[in-house]
Amino acid sequence: GKQEVNLKTTLCVKSGGGDKEAAARGPSKLTRLTWQKKFIGSLTKELADGSNTPSVRLLAAVVMKNTIAGRSTVSFETDLFQNQADVWIGLDPEYRGHVKQAVVSALDTDDNNIRRAVALCVASIAAIEIPRGEWQDLISLMVGTADNENINVRLSSLQTLGFLADELESRYFNDQQKSFIIQAIVKNI
């Protein structure tokens, strides 16, 4: 309806489209990807900035997770994209790599709520990428950091592994990964 057109117009104009008539028809795939990249980049910056208040960092993690996982009130699902995961996959792999690195780094925090939200964000990204054969080193990274002497890093890794197990079907883990995950959990009991 009218609200949907206004939202599309606002998104297009604010993301650099500028043409209100084109915006009323809806943003193009390129404009959507550009807007998504800017939006995720802003969220990543706020999340990674340790000088931000915990509430800002928490909100950035939750909104990023919901946006990437397609649980956001701002949806990019149209005939141009089959689903929200296609928008994430449509972003440049190098850019996605930088975002993933920043998000994983944000796991190292004293705040339990932020740690949990970031772990969920990591799991949401992994749920898109691992079935596609991407981000294959995440499991070994989380298993390795589950041995860290810093308790916050250990807890983050274990939470992330738990959320990965919830998000992904077991067929996406090979036997060695399954064994490493179980060992990491048992070792920290």
Side-chain angles (χ1 to χ4, degrees), residues 104 107 115-124 126-127 130 135-148 152-170 172-174 176-189:
V104 167
L107 283 166
R115 200 169 41 241
R116 178 179 168 75
V118 174
L120 284 165
C121 187
V122 170
S124 292
I130 288 176
W135 211 5
Q136 293 299 305
D137 61 338
L138 177 63
I139 303 295
S140 59
L141 175 65
M142 291 296 107
V143 167
T145 55
D147 241 357
N148 195 294
N152 293 323
V153 173
R154 272 201 322 263
L155 291 172
S156 303
S157 300
L158 292 169
Q159 273 186 320
T160 303
L161 288 169
F163 292 140
L164 287 170
D166 285 345
E167 287 284 330
L168 292 165
E169 297 175 25
S170 64
Y172 293 117
F173 301 109
N174 64 41
Q176 184 181 26
Q177 289 172 323
K178 290 175 189 174
S179 175
F180 286 156
I181 291 169
I182 292 169
Q183 288 173 20
I185 292 169
V186 169
K187 194 177 206 178
N188 284 283
I189 292 182

Side-chain angles (χ1 to χ4, degrees), residues 33-182:
L33 286 173
T34 301
W35 189 87
Q36 184 84 339
K37 184 176 181 177
K38 288 179 183 179
F39 187 58
I40 290 174
S42 295
L43 293 170
T44 303
K45 181 180 173 194
E46 298 304 323
L47 176 60
D49 186 350
S51 68
N52 277 335
T53 63
S55 59
V56 168
R57 294 183 74 208
L58 178 62
L59 183 61
V62 170
V63 171
M64 181 184 295
K65 174 195 67 83
N66 289 343
T67 299
I68 291 169
R71 298 181 188 119
S72 175
T73 56
V74 179
S75 177
F76 293 89
E77 294 181 28
T78 68
D79 55 335
L80 298 172
F81 300 105
Q82 289 183 2
N83 59 48
Q84 191 69 14
D86 290 343
V87 177
W88 172 253
I89 296 303
L91 297 173
D92 176 45
E94 185 177 335
Y95 178 79
R96 286 185 295 155
H98 291 299
V99 170
K100 292 185 296 190
Q101 184 177 15
V103 172
V104 167
S105 294
L107 283 166
D108 184 8
T109 179
D110 295 337
D111 188 297
N112 186 47
N113 292 324
I114 296 171
R115 200 169 41 241
R116 178 179 168 75
V118 174
L120 284 165
C121 187
V122 170
S124 292
I125 295 169
I128 296 169
E129 293 204 353
I130 288 176
R132 296 172 45 86
E134 299 173 1
W135 211 5
Q136 293 299 305
D137 61 338
L138 177 63
I139 303 295
S140 59
L141 175 65
M142 291 296 107
V143 167
T145 55
D147 241 357
N148 195 294
E149 58 186 57
N150 179 329
I151 187 71
N152 293 323
V153 173
R154 272 201 322 263
L155 291 172
S156 303
S157 300
L158 292 169
Q159 273 186 320
T160 303
L161 288 169
F163 292 140
L164 287 170
D166 285 345
E167 287 284 330
L168 292 165
E169 297 175 25
S170 64
R171 67 187 168 113
Y172 293 117
F173 301 109
N174 64 41
D175 289 341
Q176 184 181 26
Q177 289 172 323
K178 290 175 189 174
S179 175
F180 286 156
I181 291 169
I182 292 169

